[in-house]
Amino acid sequence: MASLPVQFTRNNLSSPCFSLKLRREPRSLVTTVHCSVGENRGENGVGIKKSLLSIKELGCIACAALCACTLTIASPVIAANQRLPPLSTEPDRCEKAFVGNTIGQANGVYDKPLDLRFCDYTNDQTNLKGKTLSAALMVGAKFDGADMTEVVMSKAYAVEASFKGVNFSNAVIDRVNFGKSNLKGAVFRNTVLSGSTFEEANLEDVVFEDTIIGYIDLQKICRNATINEEGRLVLGCR
């Protein structure tokens, strides 16, 4: 366990006003901030108080501000250290998409990851329709021409996957990472696209029709230069 103590003192006072400790458990992504506040005393041992705010109250306020600052600084480091789990060795891992998962649909919570990385579902018209693929790992997978209508893909990780010509009509594509994926000709008709990202993805000839998407998410999608004029018009890109 690593500990970083920081103490703050007031002028002419021998004892610290309060202290803050940042603790990081080994092999953990959790950072704990501990604050302690003490009453300062002068040379004669008598507690010193202010008329507006006591030193204890000032310490609490300053500690809260430092906690916010500390967690803000620590968060990017934690995110950068995250790694995908090793590729599953189960021989039927790709077929598990035909069953999907049923727990934690909205938040992508699972007891075991749905590992579909590098699987090939090209032109599958029956097995994926309406399935729940929440938090699925789809890196490098091929879904070209597949029917994925009414699927639930909350928090799926679909970086560098291929979805050319995929039908996502009536699907819930919530907080999915499509970074560097190929979605040329994909159809998002009456599809929920809240919180999903398409950084460096190919959105050429993608159909956006009656898509449910937030304003901020829309602004991000509109920055993608591969969207054709018709798609930009339908989305309302400026």
Side-chain angles (χ1 to χ4, degrees), residues 168-185:
F168 286 111
S169 296
N170 303 313
V172 178
I173 313 297
D174 175 49
R175 292 166 290 176
V176 176
N177 188 342
F178 284 109
K180 299 182 179 180
S181 289
N182 190 346
L183 292 111
K184 181 178 180 179

Side-chain angles (χ1 to χ4, degrees), residues 28-53:
S28 174
L29 295 179
V30 178
T31 299
T32 306
V33 179
H34 295 279
C35 297
S36 60
V37 181
E39 182 180 4
N40 289 293
R41 296 182 178 275
E43 296 178 356
N44 58 0
V46 179
I48 300 176
K49 295 184 178 179
K50 296 294 183 181
S51 59
L52 296 178
L53 287 174

Side-chain angles (χ1 to χ4, degrees), residues 14-81:
S14 58
S15 61
C17 175
F18 69 94
S19 63
L20 176 147
K21 288 186 177 181
L22 172 64
R23 297 180 183 272
R24 173 70 60 80
E25 298 290 344
R27 300 181 182 179
S28 174
L29 295 179
V30 178
T31 299
T32 306
V33 179
H34 295 279
C35 297
S36 60
V37 181
E39 182 180 4
N40 289 293
R41 296 182 178 275
E43 296 178 356
N44 58 0
V46 179
I48 300 176
K49 295 184 178 179
K50 296 294 183 181
S51 59
L52 296 178
L53 287 174
S54 68
I55 293 175
K56 183 176 181 179
E57 290 170 332
L58 287 170
C60 291
I61 294 171
C63 190
L66 280 170
C67 286
C69 180
T70 301
L71 294 177
T72 300
I73 295 172
S75 295
V77 176
I78 294 173
N81 289 335

